[in-house]
């Protein structure tokens, strides 16, 4: 989305590229290798080996559901587990967990059939859990849900930590005072509240933040 921000005419190159991909897919002209890895990663994340939908121990439904996203759960399972445990103890109404992919690689690849199927599964799981609020750790997952399913309440994990629960006990002492440059995900470009929450949490941890020349929107 950066092109539209810096273009004097506000031209959205990303939208044109997406339309072109969809057209190429429909005409059988899209090289499979262009998005092969991302689609394989998506399929793996939604497979029985990785996917999980649980309302929480001893419950049939929940008031909140933690959706860490495939990258956090895959790269840092220990942190994912710790975050879920903390949310269970800090939020009222019960906290479930959903492991899987939000489906956005299908959309990026111009495969609206795959994206629609992923969103249908997500909605069915959400309904089965009692229509809870979705707490998403990933900015791309959050953007995907708010755009494709605006009726499903969703919020960033970082806003929940900054505005509702506070940091886990011991977090402030676990980090050493340091200076970090904060690089926001592209998908948080139009989510100033989440970007502010991240900086607020770093401030509470006594971390000095530096803003890159091209930051925020």
């Amino acid at each position: 989305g950066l092109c539209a921000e810096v273009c004097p005419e506000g031209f959205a190159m990303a939208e044109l590229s997406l339309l072109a991909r969809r057209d190429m897919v429909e005409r059988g002209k899209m090289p499979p290798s262009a998005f092969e890895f991302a689609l394989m990663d998506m399929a793996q994340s939604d497979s029985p080996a990785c996917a999980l939908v649980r309302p929480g121990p001893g419950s049939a439904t929940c008031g909140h559901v933690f959706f860490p996203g495939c990258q956090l759960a895959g790269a840092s399972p220990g942190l994912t587990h710790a975050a879920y445990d903390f949310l269970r103890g800090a939020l009222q109404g019960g906290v479930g967990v959903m492991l899987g992919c939000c489906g956005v690689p299908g959309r990026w690849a111009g495969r609206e059939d795959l994206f629609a199927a992923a969103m249908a599964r997500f909605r069915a799981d959400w309904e089965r859990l009692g229509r809870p609020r979705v707490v998403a750790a990933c900015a791309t997952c959050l953007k995907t849900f708010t755009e494709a399913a605006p009726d499903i309440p969703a919020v960033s994990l970082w806003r929940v930590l900054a505005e509702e629960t506070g940091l886990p006990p011991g977090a402030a002492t676990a980090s050493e005072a340091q200076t970090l440059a904060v690089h926001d995900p592209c998908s948080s470009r139009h989510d100033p509240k989440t970007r502010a929450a991240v900086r607020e949490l770093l401030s509470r941890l006594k971390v000095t933040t530096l803003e890159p020349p091209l930051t925020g929107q």
Side-chain angles (χ1 to χ4, degrees):
L2 181 59
C3 290
E5 299 298 330
V6 300
C7 175
E9 301 298 329
F11 181 73
M13 187 66 193
E15 293 182 13
L16 178 63
S17 297
L18 181 57
L19 288 172
R21 283 188 225 116
R22 289 172 180 165
D23 178 68
M24 292 173 71
V25 167
E26 291 175 2
R27 293 186 293 112
K29 298 295 185 180
M30 171 61 74
S33 59
F35 286 91
E36 184 178 36
F37 176 81
L39 294 178
M40 290 175 63
D41 196 32
M42 173 179 162
Q44 172 72 6
S45 297
D46 288 333
S47 72
C50 298
L52 178 71
V53 181
R54 292 289 186 275
S59 302
T61 60
C62 51
H64 317 268
V65 63
F66 180 42
F67 193 97
C70 56
Q71 298 304 307
L72 177 61
S76 302
L79 290 178
T80 303
H81 197 297
Y84 176 51
D85 281 347
F86 174 71
L87 292 175
R88 284 182 55 207
L91 294 176
Q92 300 297 315
V95 183
V97 63
M98 293 175 65
L99 301 181
C101 179
C102 67
V104 77
R107 168 153 284 183
W108 288 339
R111 293 289 306 274
E112 284 296 319
D113 57 328
L114 296 180
F115 179 68
M119 287 304 303
R121 287 194 301 270
F122 173 77
R123 181 174 290 277
D125 292 337
W126 174 73
E127 294 272 3
R128 190 162 60 251
L129 291 175
R131 300 188 171 191
R133 179 180 70 161
V134 178
V135 179
C138 171
T140 298
C141 292
L142 179 63
K143 181 175 183 287
T144 301
F145 295 148
T146 54
E147 290 181 350
D151 59 308
I152 297 179
V155 65
S156 168
L157 168 66
W158 315 112
R159 286 190 61 190
V160 172
L161 294 174
E163 301 170 9
E164 301 178 32
T165 66
L167 287 162
T173 58
S175 69
E176 299 179 2
Q178 53 186 310
T179 299
L180 296 175
V182 182
H183 175 74
D184 299 300
C186 297
S187 46
S188 70
R189 185 183 310 283
H190 300 293
D191 187 2
K193 291 182 178 180
T194 295
R195 300 200 310 266
V198 169
R199 287 154 176 79
E200 170 61 23
L201 292 171
L202 289 171
S203 176
R204 294 181 196 177
L205 291 170
K206 310 301 183 186
V207 173
T208 301
T209 58
L210 296 178
E211 298 291 345
L214 294 177
T215 188
Q217 187 167 330

PDB file of all heavy atoms in Angstrom, residues 178-198:
ATOM      1  N   GLN A 178      16.898  -0.522  26.655  1.00  0.00           N
ATOM      2  CA  GLN A 178      17.604  -0.495  25.379  1.00  0.00           C
ATOM      3  C   GLN A 178      16.895   0.474  24.438  1.00  0.00           C
ATOM      4  O   GLN A 178      15.867   1.050  24.765  1.00  0.00           O
ATOM      5  CB  GLN A 178      17.640  -1.893  24.759  1.00  0.00           C
ATOM      6  CG  GLN A 178      16.268  -2.534  24.642  1.00  0.00           C
ATOM      7  CD  GLN A 178      16.348  -3.974  24.163  1.00  0.00           C
ATOM      8  OE1 GLN A 178      17.014  -4.252  23.170  1.00  0.00           O
ATOM      9  NE2 GLN A 178      15.678  -4.881  24.856  1.00  0.00           N
ATOM     10  N   THR A 179      17.488   0.663  23.275  1.00  0.00           N
ATOM     11  CA  THR A 179      16.908   1.521  22.253  1.00  0.00           C
ATOM     12  C   THR A 179      16.611   0.668  21.024  1.00  0.00           C
ATOM     13  O   THR A 179      17.471  -0.069  20.559  1.00  0.00           O
ATOM     14  CB  THR A 179      17.879   2.656  21.874  1.00  0.00           C
ATOM     15  OG1 THR A 179      18.141   3.453  23.037  1.00  0.00           O
ATOM     16  CG2 THR A 179      17.275   3.530  20.788  1.00  0.00           C
ATOM     17  N   LEU A 180      15.384   0.790  20.523  1.00  0.00           N
ATOM     18  CA  LEU A 180      14.963   0.002  19.367  1.00  0.00           C
ATOM     19  C   LEU A 180      14.320   0.901  18.328  1.00  0.00           C
ATOM     20  O   LEU A 180      13.597   1.831  18.662  1.00  0.00           O
ATOM     21  CB  LEU A 180      13.944  -1.072  19.774  1.00  0.00           C
ATOM     22  CG  LEU A 180      14.407  -2.164  20.735  1.00  0.00           C
ATOM     23  CD1 LEU A 180      13.230  -3.056  21.108  1.00  0.00           C
ATOM     24  CD2 LEU A 180      15.515  -2.992  20.112  1.00  0.00           C
ATOM     25  N   ALA A 181      14.587   0.601  17.065  1.00  0.00           N
ATOM     26  CA  ALA A 181      13.849   1.228  15.974  1.00  0.00           C
ATOM     27  C   ALA A 181      12.600   0.390  15.727  1.00  0.00           C
ATOM     28  O   ALA A 181      12.679  -0.830  15.608  1.00  0.00           O
ATOM     29  CB  ALA A 181      14.699   1.283  14.705  1.00  0.00           C
ATOM     30  N   VAL A 182      11.448   1.034  15.680  1.00  0.00           N
ATOM     31  CA  VAL A 182      10.176   0.324  15.532  1.00  0.00           C
ATOM     32  C   VAL A 182       9.752   0.344  14.065  1.00  0.00           C
ATOM     33  O   VAL A 182       9.510   1.413  13.493  1.00  0.00           O
ATOM     34  CB  VAL A 182       9.082   0.961  16.404  1.00  0.00           C
ATOM     35  CG1 VAL A 182       7.779   0.167  16.278  1.00  0.00           C
ATOM     36  CG2 VAL A 182       9.524   0.995  17.860  1.00  0.00           C
ATOM     37  N   HIS A 183       9.681  -0.844  13.475  1.00  0.00           N
ATOM     38  CA  HIS A 183       9.221  -0.969  12.088  1.00  0.00           C
ATOM     39  C   HIS A 183       7.823  -1.573  12.112  1.00  0.00           C
ATOM     40  O   HIS A 183       7.639  -2.712  12.519  1.00  0.00           O
ATOM     41  CB  HIS A 183      10.171  -1.864  11.291  1.00  0.00           C
ATOM     42  CG  HIS A 183       9.689  -2.126   9.889  1.00  0.00           C
ATOM     43  ND1 HIS A 183       9.749  -1.179   8.900  1.00  0.00           N
ATOM     44  CD2 HIS A 183       9.112  -3.214   9.338  1.00  0.00           C
ATOM     45  CE1 HIS A 183       9.243  -1.684   7.780  1.00  0.00           C
ATOM     46  NE2 HIS A 183       8.841  -2.918   8.017  1.00  0.00           N
ATOM     47  N   ASP A 184       6.841  -0.792  11.705  1.00  0.00           N
ATOM     48  CA  ASP A 184       5.462  -1.274  11.712  1.00  0.00           C
ATOM     49  C   ASP A 184       5.191  -2.181  10.517  1.00  0.00           C
ATOM     50  O   ASP A 184       5.704  -1.943   9.419  1.00  0.00           O
ATOM     51  CB  ASP A 184       4.487  -0.091  11.641  1.00  0.00           C
ATOM     52  CG  ASP A 184       4.632   0.846  12.824  1.00  0.00           C
ATOM     53  OD1 ASP A 184       4.437   0.379  13.962  1.00  0.00           O
ATOM     54  OD2 ASP A 184       4.953   2.028  12.617  1.00  0.00           O
ATOM     55  N   PRO A 185       4.387  -3.231  10.704  1.00  0.00           N
ATOM     56  CA  PRO A 185       3.973  -4.038   9.548  1.00  0.00           C
ATOM     57  C   PRO A 185       3.215  -3.169   8.550  1.00  0.00           C
ATOM     58  O   PRO A 185       2.472  -2.266   8.935  1.00  0.00           O
ATOM     59  CB  PRO A 185       3.049  -5.096  10.163  1.00  0.00           C
ATOM     60  CG  PRO A 185       3.370  -5.109  11.623  1.00  0.00           C
ATOM     61  CD  PRO A 185       3.785  -3.718  11.961  1.00  0.00           C
ATOM     62  N   CYS A 186       3.388  -3.442   7.269  1.00  0.00           N
ATOM     63  CA  CYS A 186       2.665  -2.683   6.243  1.00  0.00           C
ATOM     64  C   CYS A 186       1.160  -2.759   6.469  1.00  0.00           C
ATOM     65  O   CYS A 186       0.429  -1.807   6.207  1.00  0.00           O
ATOM     66  CB  CYS A 186       2.999  -3.210   4.851  1.00  0.00           C
ATOM     67  SG  CYS A 186       4.731  -3.025   4.390  1.00  0.00           S
ATOM     68  N   SER A 187       0.685  -3.911   6.980  1.00  0.00           N
ATOM     69  CA  SER A 187      -0.754  -4.090   7.167  1.00  0.00           C
ATOM     70  C   SER A 187      -1.310  -3.274   8.326  1.00  0.00           C
ATOM     71  O   SER A 187      -2.525  -3.198   8.497  1.00  0.00           O
ATOM     72  CB  SER A 187      -1.076  -5.577   7.363  1.00  0.00           C
ATOM     73  OG  SER A 187      -0.180  -6.163   8.277  1.00  0.00           O
ATOM     74  N   SER A 188      -0.450  -2.636   9.124  1.00  0.00           N
ATOM     75  CA  SER A 188      -0.938  -1.755  10.187  1.00  0.00           C
ATOM     76  C   SER A 188      -0.910  -0.289   9.748  1.00  0.00           C
ATOM     77  O   SER A 188      -1.078   0.611  10.563  1.00  0.00           O
ATOM     78  CB  SER A 188      -0.095  -1.927  11.459  1.00  0.00           C
ATOM     79  OG  SER A 188       1.211  -1.403  11.273  1.00  0.00           O
ATOM     80  N   ARG A 189      -0.720  -0.050   8.448  1.00  0.00           N
ATOM     81  CA  ARG A 189      -0.601   1.309   7.926  1.00  0.00           C
ATOM     82  C   ARG A 189      -1.783   2.191   8.334  1.00  0.00           C
ATOM     83  O   ARG A 189      -1.616   3.359   8.676  1.00  0.00           O
ATOM     84  CB  ARG A 189      -0.497   1.256   6.400  1.00  0.00           C
ATOM     85  CG  ARG A 189      -0.247   2.611   5.747  1.00  0.00           C
ATOM     86  CD  ARG A 189      -0.227   2.521   4.233  1.00  0.00           C
ATOM     87  NE  ARG A 189       0.639   1.463   3.727  1.00  0.00           N
ATOM     88  CZ  ARG A 189       1.958   1.553   3.664  1.00  0.00           C
ATOM     89  NH1 ARG A 189       2.568   2.648   4.076  1.00  0.00           N
ATOM     90  NH2 ARG A 189       2.679   0.557   3.182  1.00  0.00           N
ATOM     91  N   HIS A 190      -2.992   1.619   8.299  1.00  0.00           N
ATOM     92  CA  HIS A 190      -4.182   2.397   8.629  1.00  0.00           C
ATOM     93  C   HIS A 190      -4.793   1.961   9.962  1.00  0.00           C
ATOM     94  O   HIS A 190      -6.006   2.023  10.156  1.00  0.00           O
ATOM     95  CB  HIS A 190      -5.209   2.282   7.503  1.00  0.00           C
ATOM     96  CG  HIS A 190      -4.697   2.788   6.192  1.00  0.00           C
ATOM     97  ND1 HIS A 190      -4.409   4.123   5.971  1.00  0.00           N
ATOM     98  CD2 HIS A 190      -4.379   2.148   5.037  1.00  0.00           C
ATOM     99  CE1 HIS A 190      -3.963   4.284   4.740  1.00  0.00           C
ATOM    100  NE2 HIS A 190      -3.927   3.101   4.150  1.00  0.00           N
ATOM    101  N   ASP A 191      -3.937   1.520  10.874  1.00  0.00           N
ATOM    102  CA  ASP A 191      -4.362   1.100  12.209  1.00  0.00           C
ATOM    103  C   ASP A 191      -3.535   1.844  13.253  1.00  0.00           C
ATOM    104  O   ASP A 191      -2.684   1.258  13.927  1.00  0.00           O
ATOM    105  CB  ASP A 191      -4.180  -0.415  12.355  1.00  0.00           C
ATOM    106  CG  ASP A 191      -4.752  -0.949  13.656  1.00  0.00           C
ATOM    107  OD1 ASP A 191      -5.331  -0.159  14.426  1.00  0.00           O
ATOM    108  OD2 ASP A 191      -4.617  -2.167  13.895  1.00  0.00           O
ATOM    109  N   PRO A 192      -3.770   3.156  13.402  1.00  0.00           N
ATOM    110  CA  PRO A 192      -2.938   3.950  14.316  1.00  0.00           C
ATOM    111  C   PRO A 192      -3.057   3.525  15.777  1.00  0.00           C
ATOM    112  O   PRO A 192      -2.104   3.683  16.544  1.00  0.00           O
ATOM    113  CB  PRO A 192      -3.450   5.382  14.096  1.00  0.00           C
ATOM    114  CG  PRO A 192      -4.845   5.214  13.570  1.00  0.00           C
ATOM    115  CD  PRO A 192      -4.801   3.972  12.731  1.00  0.00           C
ATOM    116  N   LYS A 193      -4.198   2.968  16.187  1.00  0.00           N
ATOM    117  CA  LYS A 193      -4.373   2.573  17.591  1.00  0.00           C
ATOM    118  C   LYS A 193      -3.460   1.409  17.950  1.00  0.00           C
ATOM    119  O   LYS A 193      -2.885   1.373  19.048  1.00  0.00           O
ATOM    120  CB  LYS A 193      -5.829   2.219  17.859  1.00  0.00           C
ATOM    121  CG  LYS A 193      -6.768   3.416  17.801  1.00  0.00           C
ATOM    122  CD  LYS A 193      -8.199   3.027  18.129  1.00  0.00           C
ATOM    123  CE  LYS A 193      -9.119   4.242  18.109  1.00  0.00           C
ATOM    124  NZ  LYS A 193     -10.527   3.879  18.418  1.00  0.00           N
ATOM    125  N   THR A 194      -3.299   0.463  17.044  1.00  0.00           N
ATOM    126  CA  THR A 194      -2.390  -0.650  17.312  1.00  0.00           C
ATOM    127  C   THR A 194      -0.943  -0.170  17.317  1.00  0.00           C
ATOM    128  O   THR A 194      -0.148  -0.568  18.176  1.00  0.00           O
ATOM    129  CB  THR A 194      -2.579  -1.770  16.277  1.00  0.00           C
ATOM    130  OG1 THR A 194      -3.895  -2.329  16.430  1.00  0.00           O
ATOM    131  CG2 THR A 194      -1.547  -2.864  16.470  1.00  0.00           C
ATOM    132  N   ARG A 195      -0.600   0.686  16.375  1.00  0.00           N
ATOM    133  CA  ARG A 195       0.775   1.207  16.349  1.00  0.00           C
ATOM    134  C   ARG A 195       1.079   1.956  17.645  1.00  0.00           C
ATOM    135  O   ARG A 195       2.168   1.829  18.210  1.00  0.00           O
ATOM    136  CB  ARG A 195       0.972   2.122  15.139  1.00  0.00           C
ATOM    137  CG  ARG A 195       0.748   1.435  13.789  1.00  0.00           C
ATOM    138  CD  ARG A 195       1.420   2.201  12.655  1.00  0.00           C
ATOM    139  NE  ARG A 195       1.097   3.617  12.648  1.00  0.00           N
ATOM    140  CZ  ARG A 195       0.112   4.166  11.938  1.00  0.00           C
ATOM    141  NH1 ARG A 195      -0.654   3.399  11.169  1.00  0.00           N
ATOM    142  NH2 ARG A 195      -0.111   5.468  11.970  1.00  0.00           N
ATOM    143  N   ALA A 196       0.115   2.734  18.124  1.00  0.00           N
ATOM    144  CA  ALA A 196       0.321   3.476  19.376  1.00  0.00           C
ATOM    145  C   ALA A 196       0.432   2.528  20.565  1.00  0.00           C
ATOM    146  O   ALA A 196       1.217   2.768  21.490  1.00  0.00           O
ATOM    147  CB  ALA A 196      -0.834   4.457  19.588  1.00  0.00           C
ATOM    148  N   ALA A 197      -0.335   1.438  20.543  1.00  0.00           N
ATOM    149  CA  ALA A 197      -0.293   0.482  21.653  1.00  0.00           C
ATOM    150  C   ALA A 197       1.077  -0.168  21.768  1.00  0.00           C
ATOM    151  O   ALA A 197       1.595  -0.362  22.870  1.00  0.00           O
ATOM    152  CB  ALA A 197      -1.371  -0.585  21.457  1.00  0.00           C
ATOM    153  N   VAL A 198       1.690  -0.497  20.631  1.00  0.00           N
ATOM    154  CA  VAL A 198       3.023  -1.100  20.645  1.00  0.00           C
ATOM    155  C   VAL A 198       4.028  -0.148  21.290  1.00  0.00           C
ATOM    156  O   VAL A 198       4.848  -0.541  22.127  1.00  0.00           O
ATOM    157  CB  VAL A 198       3.458  -1.459  19.211  1.00  0.00           C
ATOM    158  CG1 VAL A 198       4.937  -1.839  19.171  1.00  0.00           C
ATOM    159  CG2 VAL A 198       2.607  -2.602  18.674  1.00  0.00           C
TER     160      VAL A 198
END
